[in-house]
Amino acid sequence: MAEPDPIPTGVIPYLSIPGRGGQAAVEFYQRAFGAEELFRNLAEDGERLMHSRLRINGGLIMLSDEFPEYGNPVDVEPAGVALHLQVDDADEWWARALTAGAVPV
């Protein structure tokens, strides 16, 4: 893992991944979008992902598993979310995401 940027700037999306899927999400983003994991912190149970910082195509995204013991609701369906990824060759990135298991909806 690379060292994290000293002070991230700008607006950074933070995703809470349901069903203890945080580590699988990181692996998917690595395969699908070439994400570089800059930082990872596991919870005290050694299994749940407390925090991960990823760099994808120059931008940052952060994510973790759900933690209901900290007052966060569990398995909440988002009303909507959109993440825009600006790339040089959309067809190439799309194909890689499909190969990594993305499902078009």
Side-chain angles (χ1 to χ4, degrees), residues 12-100:
I12 302 169
Y14 201 112
L15 305 176
S16 179
I17 309 298
R20 295 184 180 220
Q23 294 190 67
V26 168
E27 293 167 8
F28 172 76
Y29 293 140
Q30 289 172 326
R31 290 190 317 271
F33 305 118
E36 175 187 8
E37 188 172 46
L38 303 174
F39 180 81
R40 174 182 289 225
N41 187 22
L42 295 178
E44 289 180 5
D45 62 18
E47 296 177 14
R48 291 180 298 166
L49 186 62
M50 179 71 83
H51 177 73
S52 177
R53 182 184 307 162
L54 304 175
R55 181 180 299 137
I56 300 174
N57 199 35
L60 294 178
I61 186 169
M62 298 182 191
L63 60 93
S64 70
D65 283 318
E66 296 173 316
F67 285 88
E69 64 268 34
Y70 297 124
N72 298 318
V74 177
D75 293 328
V76 173
E77 291 291 326
V81 64
L83 301 174
H84 179 82
L85 178 61
Q86 188 70 32
V87 298
D88 55 352
D89 184 343
D91 291 333
E92 178 184 329
W93 284 71
W94 177 255
R96 185 171 62 198
L98 293 177
T99 299

